[in-house]
Amino acid sequence: MKLVYLTIVCVWFIGTIVSSAASSSPPAAAFLSANHYAKTCPDAEGIIHRYMRAWLTKDPSLAPAIIRLHFHDCAVRGCDASILLNQRGSERRAYASQTLRGFRVIDTIKTELERRCPKKVSCADILTAAARDATVMAGGPFWEVPFGRRDGRVSLAKEADMVPQGHENVTALINFFQALGLNVLDLVSLSGSHTIGKSSCLSFNKRLAFFNGTKKPDPSLNVTYLSVLKSKCKSSQFNLVDLDVTTPTKFDTVYYTNLMNKKGLLSTDQLLFSDPRTSPFVSTLANQKELFDSQFAASMVKLGNVHVKTRPSEGEIRVNCNFVNA
């Protein structure tokens, strides 16, 4: 009887240890490292940087495009380059992804990295570093990017259509960000990327008339700004409008000042100032550029670590970012 009892106790004790070890295993992001390519592709960051510099010199509008592409990647299945897969039914083919740009930029960088370091650098890492370089080259802050992400093998259009499109309420935005492991401050600081870039009239046209079922425009829009937007969108709903009406090419905090002056382009932007959960952050960041830069960098690091795949069984190093390996 004693032997049976001792056996049961031992089994319970061992099971407890195993269970405890499993629950305390480090998150996937813990396996990322700034030195990940130190031996396998030491010039990886340099190559990404040089190609980004060349592309942005030719077309500065690619800076916000790459940052947005990175967000759309991380927002679905984590930062695994699933947005880059170009196949039927993929995120890239989704309706919500039709205005995404920058795919050729990533392709050219990947081609050079495959020439220099075959099958070593993931598309997910390339896109993450490219977003950082795009920010810096647009006048934003620098942050160290940890590497070691693997590329995902699954990409579904229906999941991409769940990414915020500019008309959600703040509660929906907060819930979406929390599901990614990001908080309210991350939501407000990452929205600050709208200090550069453009959006189509299609994204905000309901604010100009027939707002929320009425026959009137959104009352939270500055009257003068409303007239400007109506003029810009008169000829086509596909016309592009600066997200920051005041300093559209500067990576600064004027985006937040615009919200305080009722000049937020997207409904999701303007609501950040009217909602008590987010407005204090808007007011604070509007007047403190250094604080915005440091917080934006911190939030971008968190974004880049969302649901990353670091184990061989979880993903691969794609040879071509457009397709899973054969």
Side-chain angles (χ1 to χ4, degrees):
M1 191 70 178
K2 276 187 175 181
L3 182 60
V4 173
Y5 174 75
L6 287 173
T7 301
I8 292 173
V9 170
C10 287
V11 170
W12 172 83
F13 182 67
I14 293 172
T16 301
I17 293 175
V18 172
S19 176
S20 175
S23 63
S24 62
S25 60
F31 295 99
L32 299 177
S33 167
N35 299 316
H36 183 78
Y37 296 117
K39 293 182 179 179
T40 58
C41 194
D43 195 31
E45 267 194 285
I47 292 170
I48 295 170
H49 178 83
R50 289 191 291 274
Y51 271 76
M52 284 297 296
R53 174 69 68 187
W55 274 102
L56 267 59
T57 297
K58 291 189 294 184
D59 183 2
S61 73
L62 282 169
I66 292 293
I67 296 172
R68 182 173 178 235
L69 188 60
H70 175 54
F71 174 78
H72 276 252
D73 179 42
C74 296
V76 180
R77 292 184 173 270
C79 307
D80 66 348
S82 55
I83 189 64
L84 304 180
L85 288 174
N86 193 12
Q87 59 198 32
R88 181 186 239 176
S90 67
E91 296 168 34
R92 184 167 171 175
R93 302 287 184 90
Y95 177 79
S97 303
Q98 294 311 296
T99 56
L100 294 178
R101 300 169 55 228
F103 297 101
R104 284 185 59 213
V105 176
I106 305 303
D107 285 343
T108 57
I109 296 173
K110 178 60 173 175
T111 298
E112 178 61 13
L113 284 168
E114 281 301 304
R115 188 182 71 82
R116 297 274 295 274
C117 317
K119 301 179 181 179
K120 294 295 187 293
V121 184
S122 70
C123 301
D125 276 348
I126 293 172
L127 182 52
T128 304
R132 187 272 313 277
D133 288 351
T135 301
V136 173
M137 293 174 194
F142 172 89
W143 63 90
E144 190 174 75
V145 172
F147 296 108
R149 298 164 190 78
R150 299 183 76 82
D151 300 321
R153 301 185 182 95
V154 178
S155 183
L156 303 174
K158 64 181 180 181
E159 295 181 346
D161 285 328
M162 296 169 63
V163 177
Q165 295 298 308
H167 50 72
E168 295 77 11
N169 59 40
V170 175
T171 297
L173 292 176
I174 290 175
N175 290 341
F176 186 86
F177 271 65
Q178 286 182 337
L180 300 178
L182 304 174
N183 58 34
V184 177
L185 179 54
D186 296 319
L187 163 61
V188 178
S189 60
L190 291 175
S191 294
S193 64
H194 289 176
T195 181
I196 55 175
K198 299 175 183 287
S199 184
S200 69
C201 294
L202 201 60
S203 299
F204 59 86
N205 62 347
K206 290 184 179 179
R207 299 187 70 201
L208 309 184
F210 302 100
F211 180 68
N212 283 353
T214 69
K215 294 184 179 181
K216 299 179 180 180
D218 185 345
S220 67
L221 267 173
N222 175 284
V223 177
T224 303
Y225 186 44
L226 172 62
S227 298
V228 171
L229 295 179
K230 284 184 174 180
S231 175
K232 288 182 177 293
C233 297
K234 188 175 182 179
S235 61
S236 172
Q237 292 300 302
F238 296 99
N239 287 346
L240 297 177
V241 181
D242 291 319
L243 286 161
D244 179 346
V245 66
T246 310
T247 56
T249 60
K250 290 184 64 177
F251 201 98
D252 55 24
T253 60
V254 176
Y255 159 80
Y256 297 109
T257 305
N258 289 339
L259 303 188
M260 298 170 72
N261 293 325
K262 297 186 174 183
K263 293 181 179 180
L265 183 66
L266 303 179
S267 176
T268 46
D269 288 329
Q270 192 58 55
L271 286 173
L272 294 179
F273 184 61
S274 61
D275 192 288
R277 293 168 292 181
T278 51
S279 59
F281 296 122
V282 171
S283 301
T284 300
L285 295 176
N287 300 306
Q288 300 188 54
K289 177 65 163 63
E290 289 186 5
L291 177 61
F292 166 59
D293 281 350
S294 61
Q295 183 55 54
F296 184 81
S299 293
M300 283 295 281
V301 170
K302 287 179 67 177
L303 175 65
N305 291 350
V306 169
H307 303 319
V308 293
K309 298 169 177 61
T310 54
R311 298 174 179 85
S313 60
E314 297 175 327
E316 62 187 12
I317 306 299
R318 278 183 224 146
V319 175
N320 184 323
C321 292
N322 295 271
F323 310 103
V324 294
N325 293 340

